[in-house]
């Protein structure tokens, strides 16, 4: 993992591989994009990172034309992914989907201002300026480029703003924590959890979730008291069938991939 860790100094955010590789649908496509990084772009990003923190001289190998440095970085990325991320990816994906669904509902219900309010105190919307609690002091002008919002369970407590210093016409990306307790969300389902799902009531609650619902909406759809509906949702969450995303005064529940399979099978 040393080639990857060399890009991540302890006192700074490190090299922005996201902007260098772009988005990818799968991990292997991301590795292909990493191998295809343009050496000139890599050197520009390394020079920028070195302007505010120290990087070991070995990192410049990933900008070599022979590609050997990028091959070593790709091997390190594979080791890191398979060891640290892949064993938890199903639960990570479920929680990220729940976060996206929750933020999408906020946009529909209250617009951009309502959405940005939920990111406080990390993000403060003071039109027309969006203030971010990050380590770097800088002003970035969008100039009509827009802003990508991306939830993450691997970020820590603070948001991170990524900008492409080579393709400056691309919108910046604001990565924000998707949960206050990501470690707790990634705990495996309790043993015997699926056995507790037997019964019409819980099957009805699963079906009532649809594309996501609050506790009150589930109670109304299944015609249960709110406390009873909340209890059923808690059991479903403990079994790994439901993901919950909390916001201001309510929570939004959605089916995990396992929950969708269980519901469809039922």
């Amino acid at each position: 993992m040393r080639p990857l860790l060399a890009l991540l100094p302890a006192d700074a955010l490190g090299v922005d591989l996201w902007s260098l590789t772009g988005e990818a649908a799968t991990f292997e496509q991301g590795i292909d994009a990493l191998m295809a990084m343009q050496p000139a772009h890599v050197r520009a990003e390394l020079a920028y990172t070195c302007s505010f923190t120290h990087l070991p001289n070995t990192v410049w190998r990933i900008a070599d034309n022979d590609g050997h440095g990028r091959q070593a970085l790709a091997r390190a990325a594979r080791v890191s992914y398979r060891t640290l991320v892949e064993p938890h990816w199903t639960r990570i994906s479920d929680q990220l989907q729940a976060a996206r669904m929750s933020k999408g509902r906020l946009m529909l219900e209250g617009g951009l201002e309502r959405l940005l309010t939920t990111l406080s105190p990390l993000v403060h919307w003071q039109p027309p300026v969006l203030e971010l609690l990050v380590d770097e002091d800088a002003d970035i002008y969008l100039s009509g480029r827009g802003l990508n919002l991306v939830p993450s369970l691997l970020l820590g407590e603070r948001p991170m703003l990524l900008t492409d210093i080579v393709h400056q016409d691309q919108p910046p990306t604001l990565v924000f924590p998707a949960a206050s307790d990501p470690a707790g969300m990634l705990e495996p389902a309790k043993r015997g959890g699926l056995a507790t799902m037997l019964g019409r009531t819980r099957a009805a609650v699963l079906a009532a979730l649809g594309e996501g619902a609050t506790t009150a909406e589930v109670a109304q759809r299944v015609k249960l008291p709110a406390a009873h509906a909340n209890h059923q949702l808690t059991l479903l969450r403990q079994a790994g069938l439901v993901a919950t995303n909390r916001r201001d005064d309510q929570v939004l529940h959605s089916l995990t991939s396992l929950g969708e399979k269980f519901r469809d099978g039922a």
Side-chain angles (χ1 to χ4, degrees):
M1 294 169 60
R2 190 169 294 136
L4 183 61
L5 293 175
L7 303 179
L8 303 170
D11 63 340
L13 293 177
V15 178
D16 180 7
L17 288 176
W18 174 299
S19 297
L20 288 172
T21 61
E23 297 183 23
T26 67
F27 175 76
E28 287 302 325
Q29 289 177 8
I31 291 295
D32 291 341
L34 186 149
M35 291 299 301
M37 293 188 303
Q38 297 297 313
H41 296 174
V42 175
R43 283 191 286 270
E45 176 62 34
L46 291 176
Y48 172 74
T49 305
C50 287
S51 69
F52 58 82
T53 190
H54 172 74
L55 294 176
N57 292 332
T58 55
V59 303
W60 291 90
R61 295 173 186 168
I62 66 174
D64 292 345
N65 291 323
D66 59 20
H68 292 164
R70 291 192 294 281
Q71 290 175 0
L73 181 60
R75 288 194 295 270
R78 282 194 172 94
V79 169
S80 301
Y81 172 74
R82 291 170 180 168
T83 305
L84 304 174
V85 178
E86 190 174 30
H88 308 286
W89 179 245
T90 297
R91 291 191 292 277
I92 291 174
S93 180
D94 289 338
Q95 294 297 337
L96 293 179
Q97 178 61 22
R100 286 191 294 267
M101 188 176 297
S102 175
K103 300 307 181 187
R105 285 175 64 107
L106 286 173
M107 280 284 291
L108 291 174
E109 295 170 0
L112 179 61
E113 292 190 9
R114 179 80 172 92
L115 170 60
L116 294 177
T117 298
T118 65
L119 301 181
S120 177
L122 304 175
V123 176
H124 182 216
W125 175 237
Q126 188 173 354
V129 177
L130 185 66
E131 298 176 347
L132 310 178
L133 182 62
V134 295
D135 293 328
E136 186 177 0
D137 185 11
D139 293 331
I140 297 177
Y141 296 90
L142 296 182
S143 302
R145 291 179 297 170
L147 179 68
N148 294 324
L149 297 179
V150 177
S152 173
L153 289 176
L154 308 176
L155 183 62
E157 298 179 350
R158 289 192 176 190
M160 178 169 53
L161 186 67
L162 305 177
T163 59
D164 191 329
I165 63 173
V166 176
H167 303 101
Q168 297 188 7
D169 59 331
Q170 296 299 309
T173 296
L174 172 59
V175 188
F176 62 90
S180 58
D181 180 24
M185 286 189 166
L186 297 182
E187 290 180 356
K190 294 182 178 180
R191 289 186 179 182
L194 286 178
T196 67
M197 295 304 101
L198 298 177
R200 294 181 180 179
T201 301
R202 295 186 188 102
V205 170
L206 279 181
L209 284 175
E211 297 300 320
T214 65
T215 303
E217 289 170 342
V218 170
Q220 182 179 21
R221 294 172 187 176
V222 187
K223 302 188 186 310
L224 288 174
H228 191 186
N230 185 63
H231 175 66
Q232 302 302 327
L233 287 163
T234 298
L235 294 176
L236 290 165
R237 184 170 60 253
Q238 291 174 348
L241 304 180
V242 167
T244 298
N245 188 273
R246 300 182 182 277
R247 69 190 199 202
D248 293 346
D249 56 349
Q250 60 184 359
V251 295
L252 181 69
H253 311 281
S254 60
L255 293 174
T256 64
S257 55
L258 178 61
E260 291 177 350
K261 294 177 180 178
F262 187 84
R263 179 197 61 184
D264 296 341

